[in-house]
Structure formats: structure tokens, C-alpha cells
Amino acid sequence: MPRVHTCSPNRVKHGCAEVRIVCDTAVVTVAGIPLPQPGREAAEHFVAEYLVDLTDGGAVTGSERFRGGQTAADAALASFDVTGYASRRNEVLPVSARGASALSPYIRHGLLTLERVWAHVAGGPGKD
């Protein structure tokens, strides 16, 4: 884990990125780029303004399939039924037959632990 040390009362260095907290409004910047405020509209604006070079140049819109946050992660896990997963997971078309779990973003960002997902699917069919 990278060392974190305080450079001044309002600055913290983490690896090569500098994080700065400004005033009491908790405006945070990383390497001079402000972090977006919570919410889809703010995230879309942030991507369009600061990450446009990573897009195809079209309108930036958030995912309809994935929502951020712990509540969304909990709901995705609760609605995941492992039955038939092994035979469906590689299906991509038609969209209604997609078999991917859709849990990866939540696992990747630490909202769902592998232990918790494993516990959720325990007792499912052996093949799945």
C-alpha cells in the first residue's frame, strides 16, 4: 500500500497524485482535476469536460444498466439468481438473454466482496 503523508494542513500526497481539500466545502482535486459531485448528471458532465479524449466524441451518457453505490450493489446481488448461470453467462444477444451476472463493477470497486457473493450463491446448482 502506498505511503500517505501530510504535506500541509490541506494537502495529502498519495503515490504520485496530490489530493487537495479546499475550504469546508470538501472540493477535492486529484492532480488538478476536481472530482465530480455525486449523481449521474454531475458524472456525465465531468466525463464530457475532463475525459472527452477517452470517448468517441458523441454525447456522454451514463449507463442504464449499472448504478453506482452500495444500495445498487446490494440490489444487484439480491436479484442475482445463479441457477443456469454456467450455460447463460456467455450469451450476449439477444439482450434479453444476456447471462452475465452484472456484479463485476461492484466487486471491482469493493462494494461487494467475493466472500459475500460466494455466500449468496452457496447452495446453487453444482454446475453453476
Side-chain angles (χ1 to χ4, degrees):
M1 182 170 187
R3 282 187 1 203
V4 176
H5 64 276
T6 302
C7 299
S8 71
N10 292 327
R11 291 182 185 271
V12 175
K13 277 201 174 187
H14 182 271
C16 63
E18 183 175 291
V19 177
R20 181 170 52 99
I21 299 175
V22 181
C23 304
D24 295 329
T25 59
V27 174
V28 178
T29 63
V30 176
I33 299 174
L35 296 178
Q37 296 297 312
R40 181 177 176 164
E41 187 175 315
E44 290 171 350
H45 176 74
F46 177 85
V47 170
E49 184 158 341
Y50 295 101
L51 305 175
V52 70
D53 292 341
L54 301 176
T55 71
D56 63 4
V60 175
T61 58
S63 171
E64 294 296 328
R65 185 169 184 200
F66 296 104
R67 292 281 175 229
Q70 190 64 57
T71 302
D74 294 342
L77 182 60
S79 67
F80 178 62
D81 180 7
V82 72
T83 306
Y85 176 71
S87 63
R88 292 187 329 259
R89 70 176 177 235
N90 293 325
E91 295 296 324
V92 291
L93 292 175
V95 172
S96 61
R98 285 189 178 164
S101 71
L103 300 177
S104 295
Y106 305 115
I107 295 168
R108 164 64 179 91
H109 294 287
L111 298 170
L112 295 175
T113 64
L114 290 177
E115 180 180 61
R116 185 169 169 214
V117 174
W118 185 258
H120 178 78
V121 300
K127 167 180 163 175
D128 294 321

